[in-house]
Amino acid sequence: MSSKETYRLADSTTVEPLINQWAVWSDLIAPAPYSMHLSHYQIKTVSSYLENPEIHLKACRNPKLIGGPFVDIPAERTGEVQTLLGAMQAQRANLELAKAISELYESLAREAKGQSLEPFYARLPESLRGYTELVYDYYNHPILRLMEGPLYASPYYNKAAQSLRIFTTRRDDTRRFFLSTPRLLEEDEIDWRTPFESREIDDLFRLEFTPRPLDYICDVLGFSERQENKLKPLLSREPVAVPERWLGKGPRIRYLGHACVLVEWNGVSILVDPWLSVKPMNGGMERLGYGDLPEKIDFALITHAHHDHFVPETLLRLRRRIDCLVVPKTYNLFYTDPSLKLLARQIGFKNVVEMDSMESLEFPDGEIVAAPFLGEHADLAHGKSAYVIRAGKERILFAADSNCLDAHLYSRLRTCLGAVETVFLGMECVGAPLSWLYGSLLPHRVQHGYDNSRRTKGSNAEAALAMVEAVGGKRVYIYAMGAEPWFQYGMGLGLSEDSIQIKEANKVIRKARDSGFIDAQRLFGRFDIHLG
Ligand SMILES: [Fe+2]
Ligand SMILES: [Fe+2]
């Protein structure tokens, strides 16, 4: 082999960020939610698996239990899972933080009834000192506010537990559900111990467009010796295909799957809710991937912190290509609502803009306006934002998982910005109960009676049509339904044509077509829309 031979990343190579061997989303990075989730979900789920692996494996094969707390690891690997449990239990500081949050909240709820909160500072447990502010809402309900800046600078944020798992994706269905199954190392995988902020990650992903010799790649990955056999299957000697730039007259909108959409116009590229897949070895369904995006992305917009919208795996891979990452302003009051600005900075983004409702960012003959986003968070306060992109005369609303709980909001949007002809809306109108995503994060057990009524649900047909009508929509695209096979490890929705969500979406499409809309589609896989 000549040392001059150069390699790029193979199209089927996935690089999955992990914390302590668990796939990463926003709540695993932010220290307070992470501590709660570690204590109340990860340790409990893994302990339950170790008591009876067979029950977990059986549950994982039951389609009705998709998304449940079941570990999908063969029983013969319990030894490795036991070692992982030990590593989780050794995170004493995080476990103490979780315990202190629950206990302090409990005593505040019991004792703080409207009197001054000052005496409570003297009673703060050691693990919360220096990170805590105590406040009331207007009806004297106490709130424990945790300061995220100091928490990231504390031992509660452990960069040493961060790594990247590099592996070949053979088929779309090989990745196990992200929430419940930790990633044990397979023989042909590389476990690259490096903090998410490290610049070497950009060097690795530069290989997508710039092939380099093996020695260079080994250096980037910090290999002490050449691991040619392991590395070569993850690389390719095929020529790099440089993606074409969109030079057409009107805006081109490319749907790339789930909530990920690229808008290109006037030399500017804007990527909404980046979540992409590699191209598996067996081919699978045709799709657009990392190599199909423009080499430079001017703006990447994040609508909210849910794991299918703020996706560290895709964000790290695109980091060097994204000029400006736009995130919604968070409430900065509840620890279950981590600042996406701080989070993005922690994973190495330098240029992060946090937008409040109706703030705008301009580009030549266009702008990005942050628009309100109601619902979908089980009535918990969360930073979230829809976006209206104006490209010349065209306005496009990306409403993500918004639930149109009040159509007046959209009438006001139209009054402020003018009619928005093109609307992208998610319609997961059943949603999960409050406890599914937030149960492990809350300081107390969710009351059964409330759990089902408070759901992470989006718009049904009636709400969707009210929204589209209020903004003056003439094109409607239902997206963000987790339908593509390559996102099942993250969604686990298992929707079919008989699912309520799909029936409601179809109602919207029918109604829009009957009303003479220019276009109405439920998006799946890939789709291009040309405006103007
Ligand atoms: Fe969501
Ligand atoms: Fe979503």
Side-chain angles (χ1 to χ4, degrees), residues 25-27 33 36-37 41 67 177-179 304-309 336 376-378 380 382 401 431-442 446 451 454-456 490:
W25 81 104
S26 58
D27 288 338
M36 298 299 270
H37 187 72
Y41 183 94
F177 190 57
F178 82 105
L179 196 61
H304 61 302
H306 281 163
H307 62 277
D308 50 323
H309 299 264
T336 50
E376 211 251 344
H377 287 69
L380 290 173
H382 260 270
D401 301 326
L434 166 68
S435 60
W436 184 73
L437 203 54
Y438 299 110
S440 64
L441 307 183
L442 299 178
V446 176
D451 197 23
R454 290 176 57 182
R455 304 183 76 89
T456 50

Side-chain angles (χ1 to χ4, degrees), residues 194-209:
T194 191
F196 300 150
E197 66 188 4
S198 88
R199 292 295 125 190
E200 284 75 22
I201 293 176
D202 296 333
D203 293 336
L204 177 75
F205 291 129
R206 238 174 236 116
L207 293 174
E208 287 183 320
F209 290 114

Side-chain angles (χ1 to χ4, degrees), residues 397-427:
L397 168 63
F398 292 96
D401 301 326
S402 297
N403 191 353
C404 179
L405 297 167
D406 178 6
H408 290 87
L409 188 152
Y410 297 96
S411 307
R412 291 192 203 293
L413 197 64
R414 182 181 184 169
T415 307
C416 294
L417 303 179
V420 179
E421 275 206 346
T422 307
V423 177
F424 284 76
L425 176 64
M427 287 185 63

